[in-house]
Amino acid sequence: MSDTQSNTIRFVAQTQIPPAPPPASETGPVKWMRENLFSSIPNAILSVISVAIIVYAVVSIAPWFIHSVWVADSLAQCREIDTGACFAVINERFNQFIFGFYPSDAYWRPILAFLLLIVAAAPVLASHLPRRLLAFTAAYPMLCYFLIFGGSIWGPLLVMASFPLAFYVFRFVNDHGGPLGGLLAAAVALIVWLMFIVDPLSGLIADLIPIGLPRVETRLVGGFLLTLIIGIVGIAGSFPIGILLALGRQSGLFIVKTICVGFIEFIRGVPLITLLFVASTLLNYFLPPGTNFDLLVRVLILVVLFASAYMAEVIRGGLAALPKGQYEAADALGLDYWMATRLIIMPQALKISIPGIVNTFIGLFKDTTLVSVIAMFDPLGVIAPIRADQNWNGIVWELYGFVALFFFICCFGMSRYSQYLERKLKTDHR
Amino acid sequence: MQKSVFFGTIAAAGLLAGMASAATLEDVKARGTLNCGVATGVPGFAFTDASGEWDGFDVAVCRAVAAAVLGDGKKVNFVPTTGKTRFTALASGEVDMLARNTTWTYSRDVDLKFTFVGVNYYDGQGFMVRKDLGVTSAKELDGATVCIQTGTTTELNLADYFRINGMSYEPVPIETNAEAQQKYLANACDVYTTDASGLAATRATFETPADHIILPEIISKEPLGPLVRQGDDQWADIVRWTFNALVIAEELGVTSANVVEMSKAPTNNPEINRMLGTEGEYGAMMGLDKEWAVKAIAAGGNYGEIFERNIGEKTPIGLARGLNAQWTQGGLLYAPPFR
């Protein structure tokens, strides 16, 4: 400001008043506590009680951790060393928790499969990565199967080859006989290829060029490895099947609709544990004894079917939430059914259903522990023979707590990812 | 046409199933491993060690049979079974035999179409109480709160016992043994009742086992033994006599340490010679080689050795032989003569 003004207008302050710090009650932790913990008398009372409970819990549990024992040969030895938790059992049986009874000289195989899983899942989970990585994702299931269960490499390779085979058969017949014939021909080709050709052919090639890893029986796979296999196969399989079922349920084609409704209602009407018992015991009666239809495969199929029925209903909720105008707009643009579904309906419906979908995933992941009742060694199943060992009999909290921690990390991670996805896809219609 | 093919396949499958169940021995030999159903974890009876190998009192029976049939006690494919899946696993052919502390009862033997080949552990239901209660006999338990596993025969036995003796009790229902341990230690019940071997194993895990006593009364019969499918008598004979060989070996003083030595040349005892194949062709009678019993005994020792190593008095479980002593020692182990 100029000098003249300062003399003429006296009541205007010449200098700015230096900013004062906010009052103590309106800043920092004090403010936060006043607002969040002690905003009213009932709130203050609840806060005090909660804090007291937390302090009490920490004070009673902390010694258990502080006095924990990490290296010992038995529970008795643990008790001699200190009074707290006996985590030595986790230490000794760590590999069993992770891999079950997987042969220890082949631990690198599941580890490698897990690392590759991260690579395969990355382009699906994060959309800014190059799309070409998806090719690896498509090839991953067979690669993972080969790594974990071993055997000749040609079987998985030939199974993988069935996709291009079906595609080219479809294109060829499609050009000459229309899409329905193309679909049928592709399906027939797939079935013939997978059921009658892959086995003898892979055996033949394996005789000529034997490349492969030692076989690992599926019954040896256990621990968190088994949880991850069942959980990830269930999640990856139920999502596409669930979408198809949801679309089928809304379809105008009577037979398709009836089949989808019947399937969904049947599966939803039966507890998972019943299906697991069917997988583990009843199927044995139906199938001839010679057929070596692996228990893990049976369980995987039923888990996928079970989860996809729930997934279908979640996605149907998303479809129902879309305004009718969206469907009509797609029709007005001249899009056919599949294009409209792919470009307009599904992106919106799926976005709406994210919380429900992730909810189903988390539920499915935790339901994998049910396989311990049919004597598969998921982490909870591993605990039983460990506790039966004379050295560790009597340990409860440490084992179950460790498993709980693992599940918490996985489920919390899924939950956080879904929140990230919701924020990213938020296109406020509000 | 399609339908008839389908039903034809089912019928053929059924036929195959009927045929396959008849020759378990051939199946096992062709497969090269014995599929043996065991428990998912019972202290002392079936458990895994740090390297993931199965071990235990029941598991030893599997190993002995595998050694007798295949010559190697390690050639066993252990199929863990729960109380719910064990019988279907055996009936459907998923396992060749069950060695999974299963009580021999009428309906399991007759109605479920299994053959129990023997009793490898004579168990019975007992009671455990805290010492400071001052109780010395189950007859003094009138009015007690009892931790009891629901849906088991122990629940029915308990009700019967208290009714017969004109006493009352208050049941505290529990689901698993682990839960029972917690409840009992937290004083939620005065008494914990289950099979006596289970009580001993549970007590061994307490911080101060000496503060608890197992009452002398045994109120039920629980003969636990290995079983096979009905209808394949040759296979049942193999499992039965493999187990009998372990019992006879203890009776005659054949151990894992001296069995190989004894089988090299005939000894003074003709029964040992017949069993170990230095006299006669007894193995061939059931389709095995001469050395079958030698291998079975060498795999894990005789009955006494298996008992001492897994559940005997020197282990934390600390079971006395009791009923499971040889008949010459006042127990019930009485294998038929080997001739």
Side-chain angles (χ1 to χ4, degrees), chain A residues 261-294:
Chain A
V261 171
F263 175 84
I264 292 172
E265 294 304 334
F266 172 72
I267 298 273
R268 283 206 310 168
V270 180
L272 176 57
I273 202 147
T274 315
L275 292 177
L276 290 176
F277 274 121
V278 168
S280 77
T281 58
L282 278 183
L283 279 181
N284 274 352
Y285 285 121
F286 297 150
L287 296 167
T291 46
N292 187 13
F293 196 22
D294 200 275

mmCIF file of all heavy atoms in Angstrom, chain A residues 261-294:
data_model
loop_
_atom_site.group_PDB
_atom_site.id
_atom_site.type_symbol
_atom_site.label_atom_id
_atom_site.label_comp_id
_atom_site.label_asym_id
_atom_site.label_seq_id
_atom_site.Cartn_x
_atom_site.Cartn_y
_atom_site.Cartn_z
ATOM 1 N N VAL A 261 -32.207 -71.606 -14.231
ATOM 2 C CA VAL A 261 -32.943 -71.435 -12.978
ATOM 3 C C VAL A 261 -32.871 -72.720 -12.158
ATOM 4 O O VAL A 261 -32.600 -72.697 -10.953
ATOM 5 C CB VAL A 261 -34.412 -71.049 -13.270
ATOM 6 C CG1 VAL A 261 -35.219 -71.091 -11.982
ATOM 7 C CG2 VAL A 261 -34.475 -69.679 -13.892
ATOM 8 N N GLY A 262 -33.076 -73.851 -12.835
ATOM 9 C CA GLY A 262 -33.034 -75.132 -12.128
ATOM 10 C C GLY A 262 -31.685 -75.362 -11.472
ATOM 11 O O GLY A 262 -31.598 -75.719 -10.291
ATOM 12 N N PHE A 263 -30.621 -75.100 -12.223
ATOM 13 C CA PHE A 263 -29.273 -75.305 -11.686
ATOM 14 C C PHE A 263 -29.031 -74.411 -10.481
ATOM 15 O O PHE A 263 -28.595 -74.879 -9.412
ATOM 16 C CB PHE A 263 -28.254 -75.009 -12.789
ATOM 17 C CG PHE A 263 -26.833 -75.082 -12.324
ATOM 18 C CD1 PHE A 263 -26.167 -76.297 -12.269
ATOM 19 C CD2 PHE A 263 -26.158 -73.941 -11.923
ATOM 20 C CE1 PHE A 263 -24.867 -76.360 -11.833
ATOM 21 C CE2 PHE A 263 -24.863 -74.007 -11.480
ATOM 22 C CZ PHE A 263 -24.219 -75.208 -11.438
ATOM 23 N N ILE A 264 -29.330 -73.126 -10.656
ATOM 24 C CA ILE A 264 -29.045 -72.179 -9.574
ATOM 25 C C ILE A 264 -29.836 -72.548 -8.327
ATOM 26 O O ILE A 264 -29.293 -72.614 -7.215
ATOM 27 C CB ILE A 264 -29.384 -70.737 -10.019
ATOM 28 C CG1 ILE A 264 -28.412 -70.284 -11.112
ATOM 29 C CG2 ILE A 264 -29.317 -69.783 -8.843
ATOM 30 C CD1 ILE A 264 -28.791 -68.971 -11.747
ATOM 31 N N GLU A 265 -31.132 -72.819 -8.514
ATOM 32 C CA GLU A 265 -31.948 -73.094 -7.342
ATOM 33 C C GLU A 265 -31.528 -74.407 -6.674
ATOM 34 O O GLU A 265 -31.532 -74.522 -5.454
ATOM 35 C CB GLU A 265 -33.433 -73.156 -7.727
ATOM 36 C CG GLU A 265 -33.988 -71.818 -8.190
ATOM 37 C CD GLU A 265 -33.788 -70.723 -7.155
ATOM 38 O OE1 GLU A 265 -33.697 -71.021 -5.960
ATOM 39 O OE2 GLU A 265 -33.716 -69.533 -7.552
ATOM 40 N N PHE A 266 -31.148 -75.389 -7.493
ATOM 41 C CA PHE A 266 -30.716 -76.651 -6.890
ATOM 42 C C PHE A 266 -29.455 -76.457 -6.067
ATOM 43 O O PHE A 266 -29.379 -76.856 -4.897
ATOM 44 C CB PHE A 266 -30.457 -77.700 -7.969
ATOM 45 C CG PHE A 266 -29.839 -78.957 -7.426
ATOM 46 C CD1 PHE A 266 -30.595 -79.839 -6.664
ATOM 47 C CD2 PHE A 266 -28.492 -79.239 -7.613
ATOM 48 C CE1 PHE A 266 -30.030 -80.981 -6.141
ATOM 49 C CE2 PHE A 266 -27.919 -80.368 -7.083
ATOM 50 C CZ PHE A 266 -28.687 -81.242 -6.348
ATOM 51 N N ILE A 267 -28.443 -75.819 -6.666
ATOM 52 C CA ILE A 267 -27.176 -75.669 -5.958
ATOM 53 C C ILE A 267 -27.345 -74.799 -4.712
ATOM 54 O O ILE A 267 -26.791 -75.085 -3.659
ATOM 55 C CB ILE A 267 -26.106 -75.045 -6.886
ATOM 56 C CG1 ILE A 267 -25.848 -75.956 -8.073
ATOM 57 C CG2 ILE A 267 -24.839 -74.753 -6.122
ATOM 58 C CD1 ILE A 267 -24.823 -77.011 -7.849
ATOM 59 N N ARG A 268 -28.164 -73.741 -4.855
ATOM 60 C CA ARG A 268 -28.322 -72.871 -3.694
ATOM 61 C C ARG A 268 -29.123 -73.550 -2.596
ATOM 62 O O ARG A 268 -29.045 -73.179 -1.431
ATOM 63 C CB ARG A 268 -29.012 -71.567 -4.099
ATOM 64 C CG ARG A 268 -28.086 -70.629 -4.804
ATOM 65 C CD ARG A 268 -28.537 -69.218 -4.644
ATOM 66 N NE ARG A 268 -29.941 -69.072 -4.983
ATOM 67 C CZ ARG A 268 -30.643 -67.991 -4.708
ATOM 68 N NH1 ARG A 268 -30.084 -66.991 -4.093
ATOM 69 N NH2 ARG A 268 -31.911 -67.919 -5.051
ATOM 70 N N GLY A 269 -29.898 -74.546 -2.974
ATOM 71 C CA GLY A 269 -30.715 -75.220 -1.978
ATOM 72 C C GLY A 269 -29.969 -76.311 -1.228
ATOM 73 O O GLY A 269 -30.521 -76.931 -0.331
ATOM 74 N N VAL A 270 -28.705 -76.559 -1.601
ATOM 75 C CA VAL A 270 -27.958 -77.657 -0.990
ATOM 76 C C VAL A 270 -26.732 -77.072 -0.302
ATOM 77 O O VAL A 270 -26.031 -76.268 -0.887
ATOM 78 C CB VAL A 270 -27.519 -78.668 -2.070
ATOM 79 C CG1 VAL A 270 -26.750 -79.799 -1.459
ATOM 80 C CG2 VAL A 270 -28.723 -79.185 -2.815
ATOM 81 N N PRO A 271 -26.445 -77.463 0.933
ATOM 82 C CA PRO A 271 -25.241 -76.950 1.599
ATOM 83 C C PRO A 271 -23.966 -77.453 0.905
ATOM 84 O O PRO A 271 -23.952 -78.567 0.366
ATOM 85 C CB PRO A 271 -25.327 -77.537 3.011
ATOM 86 C CG PRO A 271 -26.696 -78.058 3.153
ATOM 87 C CD PRO A 271 -27.213 -78.353 1.799
ATOM 88 N N LEU A 272 -22.927 -76.619 0.953
ATOM 89 C CA LEU A 272 -21.665 -76.996 0.309
ATOM 90 C C LEU A 272 -21.134 -78.304 0.874
ATOM 91 O O LEU A 272 -20.588 -79.147 0.156
ATOM 92 C CB LEU A 272 -20.627 -75.880 0.503
ATOM 93 C CG LEU A 272 -19.232 -76.162 -0.037
ATOM 94 C CD1 LEU A 272 -19.273 -76.478 -1.520
ATOM 95 C CD2 LEU A 272 -18.298 -74.994 0.213
ATOM 96 N N ILE A 273 -21.309 -78.480 2.179
ATOM 97 C CA ILE A 273 -20.734 -79.669 2.807
ATOM 98 C C ILE A 273 -21.398 -80.937 2.257
ATOM 99 O O ILE A 273 -20.756 -81.969 2.081
ATOM 100 C CB ILE A 273 -20.851 -79.556 4.339
ATOM 101 C CG1 ILE A 273 -19.827 -80.453 5.010
ATOM 102 C CG2 ILE A 273 -22.217 -79.883 4.831
ATOM 103 C CD1 ILE A 273 -19.324 -79.882 6.282
ATOM 104 N N THR A 274 -22.677 -80.835 1.918
ATOM 105 C CA THR A 274 -23.348 -81.982 1.302
ATOM 106 C C THR A 274 -22.716 -82.294 -0.053
ATOM 107 O O THR A 274 -22.448 -83.457 -0.374
ATOM 108 C CB THR A 274 -24.833 -81.664 1.094
ATOM 109 O OG1 THR A 274 -25.329 -81.061 2.269
ATOM 110 C CG2 THR A 274 -25.606 -82.909 0.784
ATOM 111 N N LEU A 275 -22.480 -81.239 -0.825
ATOM 112 C CA LEU A 275 -21.861 -81.457 -2.133
ATOM 113 C C LEU A 275 -20.479 -82.078 -1.975
ATOM 114 O O LEU A 275 -20.073 -82.932 -2.763
ATOM 115 C CB LEU A 275 -21.757 -80.136 -2.887
ATOM 116 C CG LEU A 275 -23.092 -79.531 -3.327
ATOM 117 C CD1 LEU A 275 -22.871 -78.193 -4.005
ATOM 118 C CD2 LEU A 275 -23.795 -80.475 -4.289
ATOM 119 N N LEU A 276 -19.749 -81.633 -0.940
ATOM 120 C CA LEU A 276 -18.413 -82.193 -0.732
ATOM 121 C C LEU A 276 -18.494 -83.672 -0.400
ATOM 122 O O LEU A 276 -17.674 -84.472 -0.863
ATOM 123 C CB LEU A 276 -17.686 -81.438 0.379
ATOM 124 C CG LEU A 276 -17.267 -80.020 0.021
ATOM 125 C CD1 LEU A 276 -16.650 -79.325 1.212
ATOM 126 C CD2 LEU A 276 -16.284 -80.038 -1.126
ATOM 127 N N PHE A 277 -19.480 -84.039 0.404
ATOM 128 C CA PHE A 277 -19.630 -85.466 0.704
ATOM 129 C C PHE A 277 -19.995 -86.245 -0.542
ATOM 130 O O PHE A 277 -19.525 -87.364 -0.748
ATOM 131 C CB PHE A 277 -20.688 -85.682 1.792
ATOM 132 C CG PHE A 277 -20.132 -85.559 3.169
ATOM 133 C CD1 PHE A 277 -20.612 -84.639 4.058
ATOM 134 C CD2 PHE A 277 -19.084 -86.381 3.559
ATOM 135 C CE1 PHE A 277 -20.079 -84.508 5.319
ATOM 136 C CE2 PHE A 277 -18.543 -86.270 4.817
ATOM 137 C CZ PHE A 277 -19.039 -85.326 5.695
ATOM 138 N N VAL A 278 -20.832 -85.633 -1.391
ATOM 139 C CA VAL A 278 -21.148 -86.288 -2.657
ATOM 140 C C VAL A 278 -19.851 -86.499 -3.440
ATOM 141 O O VAL A 278 -19.592 -87.580 -3.971
ATOM 142 C CB VAL A 278 -22.146 -85.439 -3.475
ATOM 143 C CG1 VAL A 278 -22.242 -85.967 -4.890
ATOM 144 C CG2 VAL A 278 -23.503 -85.464 -2.824
ATOM 145 N N ALA A 279 -19.016 -85.451 -3.459
ATOM 146 C CA ALA A 279 -17.774 -85.550 -4.226
ATOM 147 C C ALA A 279 -16.875 -86.636 -3.671
ATOM 148 O O ALA A 279 -16.257 -87.398 -4.417
ATOM 149 C CB ALA A 279 -17.046 -84.205 -4.201
ATOM 150 N N SER A 280 -16.794 -86.718 -2.342
ATOM 151 C CA SER A 280 -15.787 -87.616 -1.777
ATOM 152 C C SER A 280 -16.288 -89.048 -1.672
ATOM 153 O O SER A 280 -15.501 -89.979 -1.752
ATOM 154 C CB SER A 280 -15.359 -87.118 -0.403
ATOM 155 O OG SER A 280 -16.344 -87.429 0.533
ATOM 156 N N THR A 281 -17.588 -89.244 -1.486
ATOM 157 C CA THR A 281 -18.023 -90.619 -1.230
ATOM 158 C C THR A 281 -18.974 -91.152 -2.291
ATOM 159 O O THR A 281 -18.745 -92.209 -2.857
ATOM 160 C CB THR A 281 -18.704 -90.696 0.138
ATOM 161 O OG1 THR A 281 -19.807 -89.801 0.148
ATOM 162 C CG2 THR A 281 -17.759 -90.338 1.233
ATOM 163 N N LEU A 282 -20.047 -90.393 -2.598
ATOM 164 C CA LEU A 282 -21.049 -90.947 -3.505
ATOM 165 C C LEU A 282 -20.490 -91.195 -4.890
ATOM 166 O O LEU A 282 -20.756 -92.225 -5.504
ATOM 167 C CB LEU A 282 -22.251 -90.005 -3.586
ATOM 168 C CG LEU A 282 -23.247 -90.166 -2.451
ATOM 169 C CD1 LEU A 282 -24.425 -89.254 -2.652
ATOM 170 C CD2 LEU A 282 -23.725 -91.606 -2.389
ATOM 171 N N LEU A 283 -19.683 -90.244 -5.391
ATOM 172 C CA LEU A 283 -19.159 -90.415 -6.749
ATOM 173 C C LEU A 283 -18.369 -91.700 -6.880
ATOM 174 O O LEU A 283 -18.325 -92.310 -7.937
ATOM 175 C CB LEU A 283 -18.293 -89.205 -7.133
ATOM 176 C CG LEU A 283 -19.074 -87.984 -7.606
ATOM 177 C CD1 LEU A 283 -18.125 -86.871 -7.985
ATOM 178 C CD2 LEU A 283 -19.965 -88.313 -8.787
ATOM 179 N N ASN A 284 -17.759 -92.127 -5.770
ATOM 180 C CA ASN A 284 -16.999 -93.371 -5.804
ATOM 181 C C ASN A 284 -17.893 -94.552 -6.150
ATOM 182 O O ASN A 284 -17.464 -95.507 -6.785
ATOM 183 C CB ASN A 284 -16.363 -93.636 -4.449
ATOM 184 C CG ASN A 284 -15.043 -92.931 -4.329
ATOM 185 O OD1 ASN A 284 -14.562 -92.388 -5.319
ATOM 186 N ND2 ASN A 284 -14.475 -92.920 -3.158
ATOM 187 N N TYR A 285 -19.138 -94.503 -5.684
ATOM 188 C CA TYR A 285 -20.047 -95.603 -5.970
ATOM 189 C C TYR A 285 -20.497 -95.577 -7.420
ATOM 190 O O TYR A 285 -20.698 -96.616 -8.038
ATOM 191 C CB TYR A 285 -21.281 -95.513 -5.064
ATOM 192 C CG TYR A 285 -21.020 -95.920 -3.646
ATOM 193 C CD1 TYR A 285 -21.243 -95.050 -2.604
ATOM 194 C CD2 TYR A 285 -20.545 -97.190 -3.356
ATOM 195 C CE1 TYR A 285 -21.015 -95.422 -1.304
ATOM 196 C CE2 TYR A 285 -20.308 -97.570 -2.057
ATOM 197 C CZ TYR A 285 -20.550 -96.690 -1.028
ATOM 198 O OH TYR A 285 -20.315 -97.067 0.260
ATOM 199 N N PHE A 286 -20.705 -94.355 -7.952
ATOM 200 C CA PHE A 286 -21.238 -94.237 -9.294
ATOM 201 C C PHE A 286 -20.195 -94.577 -10.349
ATOM 202 O O PHE A 286 -20.507 -95.150 -11.377
ATOM 203 C CB PHE A 286 -21.763 -92.820 -9.545
ATOM 204 C CG PHE A 286 -22.906 -92.456 -8.644
ATOM 205 C CD1 PHE A 286 -23.122 -91.147 -8.253
ATOM 206 C CD2 PHE A 286 -23.762 -93.444 -8.180
ATOM 207 C CE1 PHE A 286 -24.176 -90.826 -7.412
ATOM 208 C CE2 PHE A 286 -24.818 -93.123 -7.345
ATOM 209 C CZ PHE A 286 -25.017 -91.812 -6.960
ATOM 210 N N LEU A 287 -18.951 -94.209 -10.074
ATOM 211 C CA LEU A 287 -17.916 -94.409 -11.080
ATOM 212 C C LEU A 287 -17.333 -95.809 -10.945
ATOM 213 O O LEU A 287 -17.254 -96.347 -9.851
ATOM 214 C CB LEU A 287 -16.799 -93.372 -10.897
ATOM 215 C CG LEU A 287 -17.242 -91.933 -11.117
ATOM 216 C CD1 LEU A 287 -16.172 -90.983 -10.619
ATOM 217 C CD2 LEU A 287 -17.506 -91.687 -12.579
ATOM 218 N N PRO A 288 -16.935 -96.416 -12.054
ATOM 219 C CA PRO A 288 -16.276 -97.718 -11.946
ATOM 220 C C PRO A 288 -14.978 -97.578 -11.165
ATOM 221 O O PRO A 288 -14.298 -96.561 -11.278
ATOM 222 C CB PRO A 288 -16.022 -98.113 -13.395
ATOM 223 C CG PRO A 288 -16.144 -96.858 -14.177
ATOM 224 C CD PRO A 288 -17.089 -95.981 -13.441
ATOM 225 N N PRO A 289 -14.614 -98.582 -10.356
ATOM 226 C CA PRO A 289 -13.462 -98.471 -9.465
ATOM 227 C C PRO A 289 -12.164 -98.200 -10.212
ATOM 228 O O PRO A 289 -11.251 -97.618 -9.669
ATOM 229 C CB PRO A 289 -13.410 -99.838 -8.772
ATOM 230 C CG PRO A 289 -14.715 -100.470 -9.015
ATOM 231 C CD PRO A 289 -15.284 -99.883 -10.249
ATOM 232 N N GLY A 290 -12.090 -98.653 -11.466
ATOM 233 C CA GLY A 290 -10.858 -98.450 -12.219
ATOM 234 C C GLY A 290 -10.589 -96.985 -12.516
ATOM 235 O O GLY A 290 -9.446 -96.559 -12.557
ATOM 236 N N THR A 291 -11.654 -96.194 -12.691
ATOM 237 C CA THR A 291 -11.440 -94.801 -13.062
ATOM 238 C C THR A 291 -10.796 -94.069 -11.911
ATOM 239 O O THR A 291 -11.307 -94.053 -10.795
ATOM 240 C CB THR A 291 -12.768 -94.096 -13.378
ATOM 241 O OG1 THR A 291 -13.682 -94.429 -12.361
ATOM 242 C CG2 THR A 291 -13.290 -94.503 -14.729
ATOM 243 N N ASN A 292 -9.673 -93.467 -12.206
ATOM 244 C CA ASN A 292 -8.967 -92.735 -11.174
ATOM 245 C C ASN A 292 -9.374 -91.276 -11.276
ATOM 246 O O ASN A 292 -8.645 -90.442 -11.790
ATOM 247 C CB ASN A 292 -7.459 -92.898 -11.359
ATOM 248 C CG ASN A 292 -6.717 -92.296 -10.206
ATOM 249 O OD1 ASN A 292 -7.310 -91.976 -9.188
ATOM 250 N ND2 ASN A 292 -5.424 -92.130 -10.376
ATOM 251 N N PHE A 293 -10.574 -90.980 -10.804
ATOM 252 C CA PHE A 293 -11.084 -89.615 -10.868
ATOM 253 C C PHE A 293 -10.683 -88.943 -9.573
ATOM 254 O O PHE A 293 -11.223 -89.219 -8.510
ATOM 255 C CB PHE A 293 -12.599 -89.673 -11.050
ATOM 256 C CG PHE A 293 -13.190 -88.378 -11.494
ATOM 257 C CD1 PHE A 293 -12.421 -87.426 -12.136
ATOM 258 C CD2 PHE A 293 -14.532 -88.108 -11.300
ATOM 259 C CE1 PHE A 293 -12.972 -86.242 -12.562
ATOM 260 C CE2 PHE A 293 -15.097 -86.927 -11.719
ATOM 261 C CZ PHE A 293 -14.310 -85.991 -12.343
ATOM 262 N N ASP A 294 -9.729 -88.088 -9.695
ATOM 263 C CA ASP A 294 -9.052 -87.563 -8.520
ATOM 264 C C ASP A 294 -9.989 -86.823 -7.565
ATOM 265 O O ASP A 294 -10.871 -86.084 -7.995
ATOM 266 C CB ASP A 294 -7.967 -86.617 -8.997
ATOM 267 C CG ASP A 294 -6.942 -86.426 -7.945
ATOM 268 O OD1 ASP A 294 -7.157 -85.562 -7.073
ATOM 269 O OD2 ASP A 294 -5.963 -87.168 -7.974
#
